[in-house]
């Protein structure tokens, strides 16, 4: 059946009213929004150990280092790093860039990136995730398109759980922000876990002082 | 604008009467390997969920917080939607409103035509599945690529997902291997998940790089900030939303939470309830388009949700965060497979939701339930699922939609239970019959109950007579 089209804008305005009318048609009582009681939420004696345990459990690797330069050293011992041709480092004090990212406009041109070294704002002990602020990324696709990902984050910057994580974020600072936990993975083929579905094949996290 | 010139092809809605759940499940249930294998796979996921839930001391507290937040959101949904729209627009997103599936599809097509694109990459979204977006776009000349691995597998096989979190859970690796051999040119007979996933990675990377618009679902919308949150393990939604210039996020209106920090509750519950992970590998927050040259469109979809909100009995079903925990634990789902529910959302929550759309067509679903209550126990947002299924049964009885055999047996049971004399007589007949009837009389093809079961051994006497004898001597002291 072939039909002419109604311009989206008028259709959407009409439906907006329809939906809101339908929602207002019935008044529903509610006890109001709750506020989580901090005393009921788990805190950890050793948040760093907890974070490492959980992240390693989901396939990530954690390194405690004293100096950012150790990142290049440790990664250099692996073949996937020493053979890498294109490395984008957003943490210059840790790893050198292998090409100039500022010349790139279109994120598609990043398709061949082997490694991204990103900067994490803070980590969450309870679930092994790291918050990455979009502002720190010239192209957000860098986190997902690189074959391998390393995140550098200070071990002083942590929260115990997700409630504190959002309290710390407070309000969006840029159009994008993401909690990353472990390499990209899938279990869609008979529940067998495969690391490296579309995004990074491995995740290395470096905790600096 | 090109959309004026191009007509829209709208397939007339196919209205076929659906099979009842029992018949639709027959092939799956009677396959001696399939049902037990499926049962075990899902039990494995359910066990992982249990482990996660048990190590969080405040798990029950989180569930009640989540339920309260959802109750409050749904109560004031209109206000929160308006707040969301205002903040999203301020952040630079374009918000569209769709009263139903058809309108949702048209809005998406309109945006694609505005950009003169025919190539899109889509990440998993039960909402677009519910709206039949893929078929609609394909009919209108758009090439849709599902990028979640499980969804891509079922897409290549021209099937639908059988589970909302694990779309290809009904398939064995050999079947995936065959599909990939046919479509992606992998080796014949290959069945190693690693090898197959690697092939899919290569195949989908090309698709990501060619995609001109990325469509994603939405796990949470935030009224206070106008942002949307998308959770995946593969990172496919992120690739799809950060390579192309245009991102369309399709969101059911119930996906809202009022405040940013409410996400603290839900991100703790979602991954753990779904697959037993502490959190999904990526939890991405989008607030407006990525730069001045890009666009973020958010399509808010009602499609029956506001009607569901009006029902005091079933409103809580709107709390659902689509974690899939209720299906993983359901003994009926695990043995009958997701396709037997013949709906986008299967399992306990699907059996509650489908009848709200069309009671006649889905009247068998509330009976695809043993009333064990396990779904209610695991639901992270405390939807009283089995109570709602029971409520549907009442409604179905009340509306005279019960099948003849159920109606007759219910009548008979009601007569029997009302008369003490008749009841004790029937008990006596039963006990005698079980003792004297030869096996071939009870086990023949007309008695489907005994196909895979033996009848119980009859007790020597009835409870009534035992009680009459013992009530004085055995009264507990104290
Ligand atoms: S009903 Fe509850 S358990 Fe089932 S999918 Fe929805 S949130 Fe999860």
């Amino acid at each position: 059946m072939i039909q002419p089209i109604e311009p989206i804008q008028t259709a959407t305005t009409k439906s907006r009213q329809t939906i809101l009318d339908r929602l207002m048609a019935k008044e529903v009582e509610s006890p109001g929004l709750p506020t989580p009681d901090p005393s009921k939420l788990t805190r950890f004696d050793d948040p760093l150990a907890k974070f490492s345990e959980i992240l390693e459990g989901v396939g990530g690797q954690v390194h405690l280092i004293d100096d950012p330069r150790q990142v290049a050293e440790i990664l250099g011992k692996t073949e996937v790093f020493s053979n890498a041709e294109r490395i984008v480092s957003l943490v210059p004090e840790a790893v050198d860039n292998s090409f100039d990212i500022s010349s790139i406009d279109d994120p598609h041109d990043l398709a061949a990136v082997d490694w991204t070294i990103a900067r994490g704002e803070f980590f969450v002990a309870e679930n092994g995730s790291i918050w990455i602020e979009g502002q720190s990324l010239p192209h957000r696709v860098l986190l997902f398109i690189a074959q391998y990902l390393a995140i550098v984050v200070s071990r002083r910057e942590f929260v115990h759980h997700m409630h504190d994580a959002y309290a710390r974020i407070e309000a969006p600072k840029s159009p994008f922000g993401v909690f990353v936990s472990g390499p990209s993975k899938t279990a869609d083929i008979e529940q067998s876990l495969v690391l490296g579905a579309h995004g990074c094949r491995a995740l290395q996290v470096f905790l600096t002082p | 604008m090109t959309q004026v010139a191009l007509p829209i092809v709208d397939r007339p809605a196919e209205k076929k009467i659906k099979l009842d759940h029992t018949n639709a499940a027959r092939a799956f249930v009677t396959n001696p390997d399939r049902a037990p294998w499926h049962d075990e796979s899902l039990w494995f996921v359910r066990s992982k969920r249990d482990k996660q839930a048990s190590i969080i001391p405040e798990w029950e507290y989180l569930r009640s917080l989540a339920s309260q937040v959802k109750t409050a959101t749904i109560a004031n949904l209109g206000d929160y939607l308006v707040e969301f729209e205002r903040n999203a627009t301020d952040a630079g997103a374009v918000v569209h409103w769709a009263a139903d599936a058809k309108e949702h599809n048209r809005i998406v097509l309109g945006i694609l035509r505005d950009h003169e694109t025919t190539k899109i990459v889509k990440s998993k979204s039960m909402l677009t599945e519910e709206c039949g977006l893929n078929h609609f776009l394909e009919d209108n000349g758009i090439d849709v690529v599902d990028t979640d691995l499980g969804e891509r597998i079922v897409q290549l096989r021209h099937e639908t997902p059988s589970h909302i979190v694990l779309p290809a859970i009904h398939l064995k690796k050999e079947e995936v291997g065959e599909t990939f051999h046919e479509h992606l040119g992998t080796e014949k007979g290959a069945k190693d998940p690693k090898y197959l996933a690697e092939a899919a990675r290569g195949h989908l990377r090309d698709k990501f790089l060619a995609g001109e618009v990325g469509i994603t679902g939405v796990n949470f919308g935030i009224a206070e900030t106008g942002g949307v949150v998308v959770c995946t393990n593969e990172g496919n939604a992120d690739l799809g939303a950060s390579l192309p210039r245009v991102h369309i996020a399709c969101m059911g209106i119930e996906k809202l939470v009022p405040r940013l920090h409410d996400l603290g509750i839900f991100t703790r519950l979602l991954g753990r309830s779904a697959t037993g992970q502490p959190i999904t590998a990526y939890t991405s927050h989008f607030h407006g388009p990525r730069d001045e040259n890009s666009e973020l469109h958010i399509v808010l979809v009602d499609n029956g949700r506001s009607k569901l909100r009006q029902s005091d009995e079933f409103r809580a079903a709107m709390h659902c965060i689509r974690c899939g925990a209720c299906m993983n634990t359901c003994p009926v789902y695990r043995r009958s497979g997701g396709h037997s529910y013949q709906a986008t959302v299967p399992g306990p929550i699907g059996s509650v939701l489908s009848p709200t759309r069309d009671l006649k067509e889905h009247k068998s679903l509330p009976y695809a339930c043993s009333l064990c209550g396990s779904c209610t126990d695991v639901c992270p947002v405390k939807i009283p699922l089995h109570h709602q299924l029971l409520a549907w049964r009442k409604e179905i009885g009340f509306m005279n939609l019960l099948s003849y055999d159920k109606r007759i047996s219910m009548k008979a049971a009601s007569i029997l239970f009302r008369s003490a004399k008749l009841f004790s007589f029937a008990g006596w007949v039963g006990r005698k019959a079980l003792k004297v009837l030869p096996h071939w009389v009870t086990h023949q093809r007309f008695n489907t109950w005994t196909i895979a079961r033996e009848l119980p051994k009859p007790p020597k006497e009835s409870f009534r007579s035992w009680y009459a004898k013992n009530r004085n001597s055995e009264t507990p002291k104290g």
Side-chain angles (χ1 to χ4, degrees):
Chain A
M1 223 188 301
I2 296 204
Q3 299 170 359
I5 184 170
E6 190 174 350
I8 301 171
Q9 221 45 58
T10 48
T12 219
T13 322
K14 218 178 346 169
S15 297
R16 178 183 192 276
Q17 205 49 55
T18 315
I19 296 170
L20 291 177
D21 286 348
R22 279 188 213 149
L23 291 175
M24 301 300 175
K26 176 157 178 122
E27 198 158 316
V28 174
E29 292 276 313
S30 116
L33 287 168
T35 310
D37 172 358
S39 71
K40 289 192 178 158
L41 306 171
T42 303
R43 293 174 67 83
F44 303 96
D45 297 333
D46 187 349
L48 196 67
K50 191 72 198 172
F51 168 78
S52 308
E53 172 201 327
I54 304 266
L55 186 61
E56 307 224 316
V58 295
Q61 281 171 349
V62 183
H63 311 269
L64 271 179
I65 54 173
D66 299 323
D67 183 326
R69 273 285 141 199
Q70 284 175 278
V71 176
E73 222 172 275
I74 294 171
L75 289 179
K77 289 191 193 130
T78 65
E79 239 169 72
V80 284
F81 189 80
S82 52
N83 294 341
E85 287 174 18
R86 284 163 229 87
I87 299 166
V88 176
S89 171
L90 307 170
V91 193
E93 69 273 24
V95 175
D96 296 328
N97 266 311
S98 71
F99 68 100
D100 179 16
I101 183 91
S102 65
S103 64
I104 288 179
D105 256 356
D106 181 353
H108 288 85
D109 297 340
L110 296 164
V113 169
D114 297 309
W115 276 85
T116 295
I117 319 292
R119 194 185 294 282
E121 299 296 313
F122 63 88
F123 62 86
V124 187
E126 72 147 314
N127 60 20
S129 70
I130 303 151
W131 174 252
I132 298 186
E133 186 51 67
Q135 275 168 329
S136 71
L137 305 162
H139 293 283
R140 59 168 97 131
V141 80
L142 280 168
L143 287 183
F144 312 106
I145 205 160
Q147 298 288 333
Y148 296 92
L149 179 64
I151 302 175
V152 182
V153 58
S154 160
R155 55 176 168 261
R156 276 171 291 124
E157 304 298 325
F158 67 84
V159 295
H160 286 269
H161 46 60
M162 290 304 279
H163 313 278
D164 282 355
Y166 284 104
R168 183 170 166 159
I169 294 168
E170 209 171 62
K173 287 169 198 66
S174 65
F176 184 68
V178 57
F179 287 102
V180 177
S181 175
S184 151
K185 57 176 74 67
T186 178
D188 275 343
I189 301 171
E190 251 192 51
Q191 283 298 295
S192 317
L193 187 68
V194 180
L195 300 185
H198 305 289
C200 61
R201 295 168 184 277
L203 172 69
Q204 308 274 357
V205 175
F206 294 90
L207 297 163
T208 57
Chain B
M1 271 209 254
T2 42
Q3 52 171 293
V4 184
L6 275 172
I8 292 181
V9 184
D10 242 335
R11 229 187 253 185
E14 289 168 44
K15 189 79 188 167
K16 16 178 207 294
I17 290 296
K18 301 214 165 165
L19 287 177
D20 65 27
H21 178 267
T22 319
N23 287 317
R26 182 149 293 137
F28 198 89
V29 177
T30 51
N31 181 334
D33 305 332
R34 190 71 59 160
W37 165 81
H38 191 260
D39 177 22
E40 275 164 37
S41 312
L42 286 159
W43 186 253
F44 173 64
V45 187
R46 147 90 209 249
S47 314
K48 284 200 291 178
R49 174 250 165 230
D50 286 356
K51 212 174 141 213
Q52 287 292 335
S54 68
I55 55 178
I56 308 261
E58 66 267 38
W59 185 258
E60 288 308 314
Y61 179 56
L62 289 177
R63 287 178 72 212
S64 58
L65 287 173
S67 166
Q68 280 173 50
V69 171
K70 280 292 179 183
T71 307
T73 314
I74 303 299
N76 302 301
L77 192 55
D79 295 334
Y80 284 129
L81 282 171
V82 171
E83 183 186 349
F84 173 80
E85 179 191 40
R86 186 176 60 242
N87 292 322
T89 312
D90 284 350
V94 185
V95 178
H96 308 262
W97 298 70
D100 55 23
K102 193 170 153 187
E103 195 175 2
H104 160 265
N105 294 348
R106 284 167 168 246
I107 290 171
V108 173
L109 179 66
I111 301 168
L112 300 181
R113 287 196 174 164
D114 274 353
H115 291 87
E116 298 179 17
T117 177
T118 56
K119 288 202 185 70
I120 62 158
V121 279
K122 195 169 139 267
S123 74
K124 198 165 80 193
S125 146
M126 282 304 115
L127 175 70
T128 58
E129 198 73 47
E130 168 190 323
C131 294
L133 180 69
N134 281 20
H135 286 303
F136 174 79
L137 292 181
E138 279 155 12
D139 286 351
N140 285 285
I142 309 273
D143 180 28
V144 185
V145 178
D146 276 323
T147 56
D148 172 86
L149 180 58
E151 280 232 307
R152 185 64 180 155
I153 294 168
V154 297
Q155 187 185 32
L156 291 172
R157 296 172 63 91
H158 303 288
E159 290 178 8
T160 52
S162 69
H163 187 287
I164 58 175
V165 174
L166 315 157
I169 186 85
H170 60 290
L171 294 170
K172 302 207 170 186
K173 50 182 188 274
E174 290 80 8
E175 292 165 304
V176 177
E178 248 167 71
T179 307
F180 280 12
H181 171 64
E182 191 183 319
H183 295 274
L184 313 186
T186 50
E187 267 166 62
K188 190 157 181 59
K191 55 173 191 199
D192 173 34
K194 236 180 149 158
Y195 166 78
L196 295 172
E198 185 64 34
R201 178 181 170 103
H203 159 74
L204 285 167
R205 217 156 233 252
D206 292 343
K207 300 287 182 192
F208 277 121
L209 290 168
E212 293 164 323
V213 171
I215 299 184
T216 70
V218 169
N219 289 90
F220 307 103
I222 314 148
E224 176 187 58
T225 65
V228 295
V229 178
V230 183
C231 308
T232 72
N233 278 320
E234 299 180 11
N236 57 317
D238 299 284
L239 271 170
S242 48
L243 276 169
R245 276 197 323 104
V246 184
H247 171 192
I248 306 176
C250 302
M251 168 177 159
I253 53 174
E254 85 288 8
K255 284 285 160 83
L256 224 50
V257 296
R259 310 160 294 192
L260 183 71
H261 71 77
D262 292 323
L263 291 172
I265 302 165
F266 291 97
T267 50
R268 297 189 76 186
L269 290 166
L270 180 63
R272 291 184 170 104
S273 299
T275 50
Q277 289 170 259
I279 187 169
T280 46
Y282 302 100
T283 304
S284 299
H285 303 59
F286 299 92
H287 285 90
R290 70 167 186 253
D291 54 43
E292 338 47 272
N293 298 317
S294 307
E295 292 171 28
L296 170 64
H297 294 265
I298 302 170
V299 190
L300 295 172
V301 185
D302 181 344
N303 204 31
R305 288 162 175 76
S306 55
K307 195 180 127 211
L308 179 57
R309 181 180 171 279
Q310 301 193 354
S311 155
D312 291 331
E313 189 85 64
F314 300 110
R315 184 178 310 119
M318 286 179 87
H319 294 188
C320 178
I321 55 171
R322 302 287 191 264
C323 69
C326 57
M327 11 204 119
N328 300 344
T329 199
C330 175
V332 177
Y333 175 91
R334 294 204 316 263
R335 285 168 185 80
S336 60
H339 287 147
S340 60
Y341 293 80
Q342 302 168 90
T344 306
V345 182
I349 181 67
S351 299
V352 169
L353 291 176
S354 297
T356 64
R357 299 183 179 275
D358 187 339
L359 182 54
K360 252 203 178 119
E361 192 165 290
H362 298 285
K363 63 176 196 273
S364 70
L365 291 183
Y367 295 90
C369 166
S370 63
L371 293 180
C372 70
S374 183
C375 47
T376 308
D377 282 344
V378 297
C379 178
V381 285
K382 286 196 161 189
I383 302 172
L385 288 158
H386 74 289
H387 295 285
Q388 296 194 339
L389 289 169
L390 190 62
W392 268 130
R393 292 191 190 182
K394 269 189 218 142
E395 183 94 342
I396 289 164
F398 183 68
M399 305 224 351
N400 258 332
L401 286 170
L402 265 184
S403 66
Y404 184 72
D405 55 342
K406 282 210 179 76
R407 220 175 326 157
I408 289 300
S409 46
M410 287 297 180
K411 270 259 154 57
S414 134
I415 293 170
L416 187 67
F417 292 137
R418 262 182 297 172
S419 151
K421 275 217 177 89
L422 200 56
F423 184 77
S424 85
F425 175 68
W428 179 83
V429 171
R431 282 188 303 279
K432 276 275 161 330
L434 279 173
K435 230 179 278 177
V436 301
L437 283 181
H439 194 265
W440 61 267
V441 177
T442 52
H443 288 68
Q444 27 82 3
R445 70 196 161 88
F446 293 110
N447 189 2
T448 47
W449 181 257
T450 53
I451 285 174
R453 295 178 180 85
E454 282 307 314
L455 290 166
K457 288 230 169 337
K460 284 201 191 66
E461 59 183 337
S462 70
F463 173 74
R464 193 194 292 254
S465 70
W466 176 89
Y467 185 70
K469 266 191 267 165
N470 291 291
R471 76 172 135 194
N472 295 325
S473 56
E474 304 247 327
T475 311
K477 313 235 150 41

